Amino acid sequence: MNTVVFIMGVSGCGKSTIGNLLAKELEIPFFDGDDFHPESNIRKMSNGEALNDEDRQGWLETLNDLAKKQIENNSCVIVCSALKQKYRDTLGFGIQNQTKWIHLTGTFDQIYKRMQNRVNHFMPSVLLKTQFETLENPENAISIDISFTPNKLLKR
């Protein structure tokens, strides 16, 4: 049975890096949720404003549609912050039995330092605090501490 592996966590925790590596290792497609944000969301975040539930809803539904289309033919990896349980419910709607969740975890300071080193990303590090405040730790996910190097993380 085809599966969608969702990799979640706050911005800057390494979702794209780990997702890309995992997809290559499994030889399945990789999708970065950031690539599917509408321009209005990107503009809002670029201006240092946190997205609200209404801003996210259409984006989450788009990712759910993508997941449903992908698993018709193949498994895939999709990375997305998915900070609240209701966001994860939307992402997995109709495909709950075909989803796996990986939660990348780290400390605020650890991730803030990483974000300071990122270039060409629309999410400013000032929004990290709101992401940590919004995060509802998932119950049904594999939690992985980001203290390890990406390749070591993948082996866990």
Side-chain angles (χ1 to χ4, degrees), residues 3 5 19-20 22-31 74-77:
T3 302
V5 178
N20 260 310
L22 181 61
K24 283 181 180 147
E25 184 166 303
L26 299 175
E27 299 180 355
I28 58 176
F30 166 80
F31 300 94
N74 199 354
S75 295
C76 69
V77 174

Side-chain angles (χ1 to χ4, degrees), residues 17 28 38 50 67 94 96 105 122 124:
T17 300
I28 58 176
Q96 297 89 336
T105 63
F122 59 82

Side-chain angles (χ1 to χ4, degrees), residues 122-137:
F122 59 82
M123 176 82 165
S125 55
V126 295
L127 289 179
L128 184 60
K129 185 175 186 289
T130 62
Q131 289 225 323
F132 268 92
E133 290 167 352
T134 303
L135 178 63
E136 296 171 0
N137 286 316

Side-chain angles (χ1 to χ4, degrees), residues 27-78:
E27 299 180 355
I28 58 176
F30 166 80
F31 300 94
D32 191 325
D34 285 347
D35 295 339
F36 295 85
H37 270 295
E39 184 60 39
S40 58
N41 284 4
I42 293 171
R43 193 172 31 253
K44 193 171 182 178
M45 288 184 283
S46 296
N47 291 330
E49 296 176 60
L51 299 180
N52 60 36
D53 290 354
E54 187 177 312
D55 295 327
R56 295 177 196 273
Q57 189 60 39
W59 172 64
L60 294 167
E61 290 170 359
T62 296
L63 293 176
N64 174 257
D65 288 343
L66 171 67
K68 287 176 178 175
K69 286 181 184 130
Q70 285 301 309
I71 60 173
E72 287 177 12
N73 300 312
N74 199 354
S75 295
C76 69
V77 174
I78 299 176

